Amino acid sequence: MAVAPRLAPPLDLERLRADFPILQQRVHGKPLVYLDNGASAQRPRAVLDAERRYGEQFHANVHRGVHWLSQQATDLFEGARERVRRFLNARSTKEIVFTRGTTESINLVAQSWGGVNLRPGDEIVISWLEHHANIVPWQLACERTGARLRVVPIDRRGELDLDAYRASLGERTRLVAMSHVSNALGTVMPVREIVAAARARGVPVLLDGAQAVPHLRVDVQALDCDFYAFSGHKLYGPTGIGVLYGREALLEAMPPWQGGGDMIRTVSFEGSTWNDLPYKFEAGTPNMTGAIGLAAAMDYVDGIGLERIGAWEHELLEYATAKLQAVPGLTIVGQARDKASLVSFVMDGVHPHDLGTILDQDGIAIRTGHHCAMPVMTFFDVPATARASFAFYNTRAEIDRLVAALHGAREMFG
Amino acid sequence: MDLKDLYRDVILDHNKRPRNFGTLPPPAHEARGHNPLCGDQLTVYVELDGDVIRDLRFEGKGCAISVASASLMSEAVKGRSRADANALYEQVHDLLTRQDAPSPPSLGKLAALQGVREFPARVKCASLCWHTLNAALEGGVAPVSTE
Ligand SMILES: Cc1ncc(COP(=O)(O)O)c(C=O)c1O
């Protein structure tokens, strides 16, 4: 069968890029090339407008007033929760807890769930490629409870050692907490296998989806995970808003983790009773602007379609991988067979931090450093890497500029 | 801002061929410095003769600015008294952080670090070695961190 040549990218990039005011900027006199989407993605006008409209027309405190504005704000806020439910295909909005972000979502589980479920000698299984946000909360929980961390190794490609993972599940395993997609390496984790093996032993699974939701369709029912955490700002939404999905039965059995307004039903000095899910976990006035902005971001992303986004990002990844591999002295760190659209790399004789500065002078924003994944750096024996992470609004021409700047860096350090 | 102003030839040369790179055995003083932001890691060894820095070595991994700065520092402070080294550090610190700082002749080759002040994110890279030297001179044991 003849394959028709592709004449145009599957997305109308010019039109889409026009949706992002910040992308029109020049940096150091050059058109901005934003390749730090893994750290935080840019917001389209639809999100910025939704945030502003809420402030200009609908803001009041939620769940508290009989007045019109409070009702509007509550409707919008709860509408955002329903939007998130639909985005994740959760069964119920009771399973959608708004948090400040991935970090807070994981800490919530570590403290609330961990506080009542972990005993001395119990084990939490994580992987070697976790972000610090999925390591440190568990270390803290271990300190409080006497539980232990078990770390599943990865291989030189940056893939999880599945056999080692299965072998690490034992009598004392209480929870598996793993990334869905690695932020430092791009590895898409074998979440089906991870969940299936844990499920077979009745062990709940938390997935850190911070780097997954912008790139692939997440269906928590299909995944069959118990907790799923992500941040709004990596999904083209606002900062300071994130989500914890939790299986209702688990959330129901967990104690509150912060006390205050909104999370109670009754308060007396003899004791208090807790509100229903998900409010039990949302003490205090929530980030309404953020939640509404996040819902707008989900509308925006679904308007394009995550499948089309994923397809274009995959093309960008392949293009960038080929071009970068051809740069003399450059080594790609993280060569998983299933990878999201980011490339971590190091270059002989040029430290990542210098690359970051040199690229910045060309208007190119990349991340350099340990990417909050110091164990990954240790594993690959590098002090740091440079990371270009792509969004659907990036172009091949931008990758060409990245590659040209890298050649320049090499010449300079020759 | 021009990259060539940051990565002057002296800097590139000292990055590629760092002077006084290595270690010194005890009883030389030793201190470790770490810049968690970029992962720079540095160990400075100083051998004192009374109040005079008789020898200095450093080793570690880091960006061009931190390696070159340590290399330039090692050349500059060898044979000097602690007070002289401190005075030199004050001058380097001004050079790195103050837009209007002069570049006195006493700085010698260290003046090549002048471009760093146009790149605020990189100032810590250049000053790490000096903080570490300071810790070594004070005989400190706790690692120095720029954060
Ligand atoms: C895999 C992963 N987990 C967790 C986080 C933490 O996200 P946040 O800082 O938004 O809480 C990040 C973001 O850097 C990440 O990439």
Side-chain angles (χ1 to χ4, degrees):
Chain A
M1 202 175 80
V3 178
R6 175 170 277 135
L7 299 174
L11 300 175
D12 183 350
L13 291 181
E14 217 169 303
R15 189 181 61 73
L16 289 174
R17 288 179 67 84
D19 291 340
F20 291 79
I22 208 169
L23 297 181
Q24 320 309 320
Q25 267 201 99
R26 297 177 82 83
V27 170
H28 303 310
K30 315 266 173 55
L32 167 68
V33 174
Y34 189 73
L35 302 178
D36 196 17
N37 298 285
S40 203
Q42 299 299 348
R43 282 171 285 172
R45 204 179 298 279
V47 171
L48 298 167
D49 284 350
E51 292 177 73
R52 204 190 55 238
R53 201 173 332 109
Y54 171 72
E56 287 180 354
Q57 298 177 30
F58 302 114
H59 171 69
N61 213 325
V62 289
H63 306 141
R64 294 182 187 183
V66 292
H67 60 79
W68 185 83
L69 270 182
S70 175
Q71 197 52 56
Q72 296 296 312
T74 304
D75 288 351
L76 284 168
F77 181 62
E78 290 307 322
R81 196 189 307 278
E82 165 58 21
R83 185 66 189 84
V84 174
R85 184 206 65 74
R86 194 149 51 82
F87 193 80
L88 295 177
N89 191 33
R91 289 167 200 85
S92 150
T93 50
K94 290 181 182 175
E95 300 181 316
I96 305 298
V97 179
F98 281 121
T99 64
R100 279 197 301 128
T102 312
T103 303
E104 190 170 84
S105 297
I106 297 174
N107 276 280
L108 191 166
V109 177
Q111 287 182 35
S112 167
W113 182 92
V116 291
N117 288 288
L118 295 174
R119 303 269 176 283
D122 284 351
E123 292 178 350
I124 300 160
V125 173
I126 65 171
S127 86
W128 205 288
L129 56 62
E130 299 308 315
H131 187 280
H132 297 163
N134 199 30
I135 302 174
V136 184
W138 304 115
Q139 289 176 327
L140 293 172
C142 287
E143 264 171 39
R144 278 191 303 270
T145 62
R148 289 191 304 240
L149 271 190
R150 279 193 78 151
V151 184
V152 182
I154 52 176
D155 63 20
R156 297 306 298 177
R157 281 190 301 245
E159 292 182 0
L160 187 77
D161 182 338
L162 261 178
D163 290 335
Y165 164 66
R166 292 196 182 96
S168 75
L169 298 172
E171 284 304 306
R172 303 307 304 264
T173 313
R174 292 291 168 267
L175 183 80
V176 171
M178 300 239 179
S179 292
H180 191 170
V181 171
S182 153
N183 70 309
L185 301 169
T187 312
V188 179
M189 295 278 268
V191 283
R192 255 166 233 295
E193 289 82 352
I194 289 170
V195 174
R199 239 272 147 283
R201 293 183 155 270
V203 173
V205 178
L206 175 143
L207 294 177
D208 170 353
Q211 297 293 339
V213 285
H215 306 296
L216 39 103
R217 168 72 52 210
V218 170
D219 177 330
V220 290
Q221 293 193 57
L223 281 173
D224 203 24
C225 60
D226 299 274
F227 298 105
Y228 198 93
F230 69 94
S231 302
H233 68 100
K234 298 187 199 275
L235 185 63
Y236 313 100
T239 55
I241 189 76
V243 171
L244 172 68
Y245 158 83
R247 202 186 282 277
E248 187 176 342
L250 282 173
L251 290 179
E252 201 63 75
M254 284 158 54
W257 79 302
Q258 289 180 338
D262 266 355
M263 53 73 67
I264 44 80
R265 176 164 301 123
T266 62
V267 174
S268 74
F269 292 117
E270 286 68 49
S272 304
T273 58
W274 315 138
N275 203 340
D276 294 329
L277 290 178
Y279 310 108
K280 182 168 82 175
F281 296 107
E282 292 181 1
T285 302
N287 180 1
M288 292 88 84
T289 314
I292 289 158
L294 174 58
M298 289 176 168
D299 285 343
Y300 184 83
V301 164
D302 277 345
I304 303 169
L306 267 167
E307 291 68 22
R308 293 172 72 212
I309 286 175
W312 174 237
E313 288 177 344
H314 189 71
E315 280 193 41
L316 286 175
L317 175 69
E318 298 212 312
Y319 185 75
T321 303
K323 289 267 175 171
L324 288 171
Q325 262 164 351
V327 176
L330 189 148
T331 306
I332 293 177
V333 179
Q335 314 234 26
R337 285 159 294 189
D338 193 1
K339 235 181 117 170
S341 57
L342 67 85
V343 186
S344 248
F345 57 91
V346 290
M347 196 187 247
D348 284 348
V350 193
H351 190 279
H353 210 194
D354 295 310
L355 284 178
T357 296
I358 294 168
L359 266 49
D360 178 57
Q361 287 303 298
D362 263 336
I364 304 169
I366 60 158
R367 173 89 182 262
T368 63
H370 53 62
H371 315 291
C372 297
M374 284 190 183
V376 173
M377 301 298 115
T378 308
F379 180 81
F380 286 99
D381 195 25
V382 291
T385 72
R387 180 189 73 183
S389 51
F390 310 112
F392 63 81
Y393 46 59
N394 288 126
T395 65
R396 287 199 186 94
E398 288 181 310
I399 291 169
D400 291 341
R401 275 187 54 197
L402 167 70
V403 171
L406 290 172
H407 279 288
R410 230 188 125 59
E411 250 159 57
M412 176 179 245
F413 276 67
Chain B
M1 269 188 284
D2 185 353
L3 272 179
K4 264 308 199 188
D5 212 35
L6 179 64
Y7 296 113
R8 297 179 190 192
D9 289 341
V10 177
I11 305 269
L12 293 173
D13 174 51
H14 276 255
N15 174 50
K16 223 171 170 182
R17 298 186 302 117
R19 322 295 198 261
N20 299 303
F21 196 82
T23 64
L24 290 173
H29 294 226
E30 146 184 3
R32 290 204 294 149
H34 183 213
N35 180 348
L37 194 66
C38 36
D40 291 350
Q41 259 170 348
L42 200 69
T43 306
V44 171
Y45 304 83
V46 271
E47 199 178 295
L48 286 173
D49 184 359
D51 200 41
V52 174
I53 299 172
R54 199 163 50 159
D55 202 359
L56 186 152
R57 299 285 157 86
F58 77 99
E59 63 170 357
K61 281 183 187 163
C63 64
I65 303 302
S66 74
V67 171
S69 180
S71 173
L72 288 165
M73 175 187 83
S74 73
E75 286 193 322
V77 302
K78 243 201 231 186
R80 298 224 196 186
S81 71
R82 296 165 68 138
D84 276 2
N86 264 330
L88 202 53
Y89 170 58
E90 294 298 325
Q91 288 176 9
V92 171
H93 187 263
D94 278 356
L95 185 77
L96 293 176
T97 55
R98 280 183 34 205
Q99 282 304 324
D100 57 344
S103 173
S106 52
L107 274 175
K109 275 201 236 164
L110 287 165
L113 291 166
Q114 189 176 26
V116 176
R117 67 186 179 203
E118 304 294 338
F119 298 81
R122 308 305 301 275
V123 171
K124 281 178 179 171
C125 309
S127 55
L128 176 66
C129 59
W130 289 93
H131 293 303
T132 312
L133 169 62
N134 209 24
L137 288 174
E138 310 217 313
V141 271
V144 184
S145 171
T146 57
E147 292 301 298

